[in-house]
Amino acid sequence: MPLTDTVHSALGTTDRPPRRLLVTGGAGFIGSNFVHYWCDRYPQDRLVVLDALTYAGNRNNLAGLEQQARIRFVHGNISDRPLLNRLLNTESIDTIAHFAAESHVDRSILEPDAFVQTNVVGTFTLLEAFRHHWQRRGQPAGDRFLHVSTDEVYGSLEPTDPPFTESTPYAPNSPYSASKAGGDHLVRAYHHTYHLPTLIGHSSNNYGPYHFPEKLIPLLCVNILLGKPLPIYGDGQQVRDWLHVSDHCSALDALIHRGQPGQTYNIGSNHEVKNIDLVYQICDLMNELAPTLSVAPCQQLITFVRDRPGHDRRYATDSNKLKTQVGWSPAYTLESGLRQTIQWYLDHPHWWIPLLSPTYQQYYAKLYGE
Ligand code: NAD
Ligand code: TYD
C-alpha cells in the first residue's frame, strides 16, 4: 500500500511521480534556501530557477547545485511573457514556487516603481502564463501555483491585539506590503475565477543563511564584524515574529504537498521580540561565538537613528491553521536559529564580503590575512 505524503515527508522519502518546478527568485535569500532544501529532500524532481539577478539575486547562493543535470538556471524576468511560455512548455512545469519580488521595505519607500512592476505586474504575468499552460494540459489536479507572500499585508498590530489570522483584513502600510497584497488578490481571483490550484503562504520575518545584508539580522552580523554602528530605527520597540528560513521552506513543502488549493496559510514560529531586545541577543551571541573577531562588547555599537516613515509597530502571526490542517511545526527556537545564522556569517565571509563596498572589502581582506 502506498504511504501517505505525511509519512514520506517524515521519512524523507517519496513514491510520487517527480514534480517539475519553476522557482522564481531562486537566487534570492528564501528562494535559494528553498532550492537547497528541495534538492536535498526530493532528488528525483526537476527544478528550473528563473531569476532576474537584481541587486538581491546572487548565483553564488546556488553554488554546488547548478552543475546538477536536474537543475537549470535561467537569467530572466517574470514579466517576460514569451520567456515564461517557452519555459513552462519546454520544461513541462507542473508546480510554480513564486518567490521573485522586490522585498525591502526601505527601498519601497524610496523607489516604489519596481515593487509595483515585479510584485503586481510580474505576478499577474506569471499567473496568466501558468493559467494558459495549465488549461492546455487539461487542468491537472496535482498542479500548484504557490505565492510566497508576507504577514505584512495585514498591517500593524497594537501591543495587546491577538496575532494575525488568515481572516484578518488586509491593511498594508508600505509600498512593499501594498504591492504584495496586490499580488495576493490576483492569485485569489485566479483560483476563484479559473479554479487555478493556487496556495498563498503569509510568512513572518525570515532570517538565516544567504540573507542580503540590508535586512536587520544580516546587517547586524556584518556590521558587528566590521565594527560599524548598529542602526536602530526610532525607539527600537517595534516587534517582529522571527522565523528561520529552513522552517519557512518546510512549511512551503507542506503546502505544496498537503495544502488545500485556493487557501491561504500563515507561517510563523511565535518568536515575537522587540527589535532592541533582538539586537542585544545578537550582540551577546556574537560576543560568545566570535570573541576575538568582533568589537567587544559589541553593544557599544548600538546607535539609535531616525525612524522609518510609516514604520509598522508590531507583527505577530497565528499559524494554527497550518499546524492543525497541514501538519507543520518549526524546528528552530529563536536562540538556536540565531546561533546557526551567526555561525554561518562567521564561516562565510567569502559570501558576504563581495556584497560590501570596495573600502570594506579591502579592510576585511586584511582582517582575514588575504
Ligand atoms: P530577496 O530580495 O532576497 O530575493 C528576491 C529574488 O527575486 C532575487 O533573487 C531577485 O533577483 C529576484 N527578482 C526580483 N525581481 C525579479 C523579476 N522581475 N523577475 C525575476 N526575478 C526577480 O527576497 P526574499 O527575502 O528571498 O523574499 C522572497 C519572497 O518571500 C518575496 O516574495 C518576499 O515578499 C517574501 N517574503 C520575504 C520575507 C523575508 O523576511 N525576507 C518574509 C515574508 C515573505
Ligand atoms: P527588516 O529586516 O527591514 O524587515 P521588515 O521591515 O520587513 O520587518 O526590518 C526588521 C525590523 O528592524 C523593522 O522593524 C525595521 C528595523 N530595522 C532597524 O531598526 N534598523 C535597520 O537598519 C533595519 C534594516 C531594520
Side-chain angles (χ1 to χ4, degrees):
M1 193 178 75
L3 299 174
T4 64
D5 269 353
T6 318
V7 173
H8 278 300
S9 178
L11 292 172
T13 61
T14 176
D15 65 354
R16 61 168 172 72
R19 270 189 192 272
R20 303 183 65 88
L21 291 91
L22 178 68
V23 183
T24 72
F29 162 48
I30 306 175
S32 63
N33 274 281
F34 179 81
V35 173
H36 282 277
Y37 170 96
W38 205 271
C39 286
D40 286 347
R41 189 155 282 237
Y42 302 111
Q44 75 282 16
D45 287 355
R46 167 86 169 158
L47 279 97
V48 179
V49 175
L50 173 64
D51 200 296
L53 296 179
T54 66
Y55 78 95
N58 185 349
R59 279 182 87 157
N60 290 334
N61 295 2
L62 301 171
L65 293 179
E66 282 192 53
Q67 291 71 26
Q68 299 182 23
R70 69 207 174 87
I71 301 204
R72 176 178 169 199
F73 180 83
V74 179
H75 183 191
N77 200 300
I78 55 164
S79 300
D80 182 345
R81 180 69 191 274
L83 172 65
L84 291 177
N85 290 345
R86 264 199 319 278
L87 284 179
L88 294 174
N89 280 325
T90 56
E91 293 285 354
S92 304
I93 297 296
D94 53 39
T95 303
I96 293 198
H98 177 32
F99 296 87
E102 290 294 336
S103 68
H104 189 37
V105 173
D106 293 326
R107 284 179 191 258
S108 83
I109 294 167
L110 291 169
E111 290 180 3
D113 307 49
F115 286 74
V116 174
Q117 183 54 46
T118 291
N119 302 357
V120 183
V121 180
T123 299
F124 165 70
T125 310
L126 191 61
L127 279 165
E128 263 300 85
F130 190 61
R131 171 172 80 88
H132 285 286
H133 172 70
W134 176 69
Q135 288 174 335
R136 259 197 313 275
R137 292 168 59 248
Q139 309 191 354
D143 284 13
R144 293 291 180 266
F145 183 106
L146 170 65
H147 187 222
V148 180
S149 189
T150 166
D151 62 354
E152 299 189 29
V153 298
Y154 299 124
S156 184
L157 292 168
E158 295 299 326
T160 54
D161 285 344
F164 303 126
T165 68
E166 290 78 2
S167 52
T168 301
Y170 275 44
N173 286 321
S174 70
Y176 163 66
S177 51
S179 66
K180 290 297 290 184
D184 285 352
H185 289 316
L186 285 164
V187 173
R188 182 185 181 282
Y190 269 64
H191 176 74
H192 188 81
T193 307
Y194 306 111
H195 310 297
L196 197 71
T198 61
L199 296 153
I200 300 179
H202 293 286
S203 164
S204 62
N205 286 63
N206 283 217
Y207 66 100
Y210 303 115
H211 205 180
F212 192 84
E214 65 178 354
K215 306 271 173 73
L216 182 63
I217 289 181
L219 181 84
L220 294 173
C221 293
V222 167
N223 280 14
I224 289 171
L225 292 173
L226 296 172
K228 284 176 73 180
L230 310 179
I232 312 301
Y233 297 166
D235 60 7
Q237 297 298 306
Q238 301 81 10
V239 174
R240 297 292 183 266
D241 175 4
W242 293 97
L243 176 72
H244 191 278
V245 65
S246 75
D247 284 330
H248 190 185
C249 292
S250 68
L252 298 176
D253 174 356
L255 287 187
I256 287 173
H257 288 115
R258 303 190 295 281
Q260 178 72 32
Q263 292 288 309
T264 66
Y265 298 88
N266 288 347
I267 311 170
S269 53
N270 215 8
H271 292 141
E272 274 188 68
V273 61
K274 288 181 183 161
N275 289 345
I276 188 65
D277 295 337
L278 179 76
V279 177
Y280 276 109
Q281 195 173 352
I282 289 175
C283 287
D284 286 344
L285 284 167
M286 193 62 99
N287 289 331
E288 178 196 326
L289 294 172
T292 53
L293 260 187
S294 58
V295 177
C298 41
Q299 283 82 347
Q300 287 170 356
L301 298 170
I302 292 173
T303 310
F304 287 89
V305 299
R306 198 160 61 101
D307 207 357
R308 170 188 280 172
H311 198 170
D312 284 339
R313 203 70 184 158
R314 174 174 168 241
Y315 304 141
T317 315
D318 179 339
S319 309
N320 263 330
K321 180 176 172 184
L322 183 66
K323 288 179 176 157
T324 55
Q325 295 185 15
V326 185
W328 168 85
S329 56
Y332 280 96
T333 62
L334 184 57
E335 146 99 24
S336 63
L338 287 177
R339 262 181 196 282
Q340 187 270 355
T341 302
I342 291 169
Q343 194 60 56
W344 190 88
Y345 279 85
L346 287 168
D347 293 342
H348 294 82
H350 295 94
W351 179 83
W352 54 264
I353 288 170
L355 307 175
L356 305 174
S357 70
T359 322
Y360 280 108
Q361 286 183 37
Q362 282 167 13
Y363 170 84
Y364 229 71
K366 259 195 207 150
L367 204 61
Y368 277 89
E370 290 170 356

